[in-house]
Amino acid sequence: MGKLFAITSSGKTEKSFLDLRFGKCLNVVIFDPEKNTYSIQENPCLEAEHTGIKLVEYLKEQGVTTIITGEVGPMVSQKLETEKMQLVLLHEERIKIEEVMDRISGN
């Protein structure tokens, strides 16, 4: 089984920009570089308490192995460690989702 990536997104297309907030991100892109497929969905945990923790649990259920976002809080960091999920922090506000997927794919 390969890696499955979750990328936080401010919009609903691959032209949208990375959302630097993990728990409060508006959308999540689930990207499978092996199959070169992705799906974009609204953050299902946006209204929940402890949105970041709930989002980690949701993404784990989806089979995600790596999360790409701008920042996470200490509780989320700890949860990711417990769940053995990788975290990649990007501090580029104006990077498009398609550029992040290209980097993952090595294009």
Side-chain angles (χ1 to χ4, degrees):
M1 192 174 125
K3 286 190 167 202
L4 199 59
F5 293 82
I7 308 162
T8 54
S9 175
S10 59
K12 295 184 180 181
T13 74
E14 70 279 358
K15 303 275 186 212
S16 302
F17 291 106
L18 177 76
D19 194 329
L20 296 179
R21 307 161 302 170
F22 177 67
K24 299 285 185 196
C25 70
L26 297 177
N27 302 282
V28 179
V29 179
I30 308 247
F31 176 55
D32 183 337
E34 282 182 12
K35 295 180 185 157
N36 199 29
T37 58
Y38 66 91
S39 64
I40 302 172
Q41 52 195 269
E42 289 182 11
N43 179 349
C45 307
L46 206 49
E47 301 300 317
E49 239 182 275
H50 303 294
T51 53
I53 299 292
K54 295 279 190 249
L55 189 53
V56 169
E57 291 168 353
Y58 171 78
L59 294 171
K60 179 80 175 179
E61 286 169 17
Q62 304 303 306
V64 168
T65 57
T66 305
I67 292 171
I68 300 174
T69 190
E71 61 185 24
V72 297
M75 284 173 41
V76 169
S77 286
Q78 198 169 9
K79 181 73 173 170
L80 289 169
E81 216 171 282
T82 304
E83 297 292 349
K84 307 270 187 272
M85 294 170 77
Q86 189 178 8
L87 174 66
V88 177
L89 295 178
L90 292 179
H91 300 287
E92 301 168 63
E93 276 183 63
R94 305 300 294 172
I95 187 167
K96 291 183 178 169
I97 296 305
E98 63 185 358
E99 292 175 54
V100 176
M101 292 191 295
D102 282 348
R103 286 186 190 179
I104 294 167
S105 302
N107 295 340

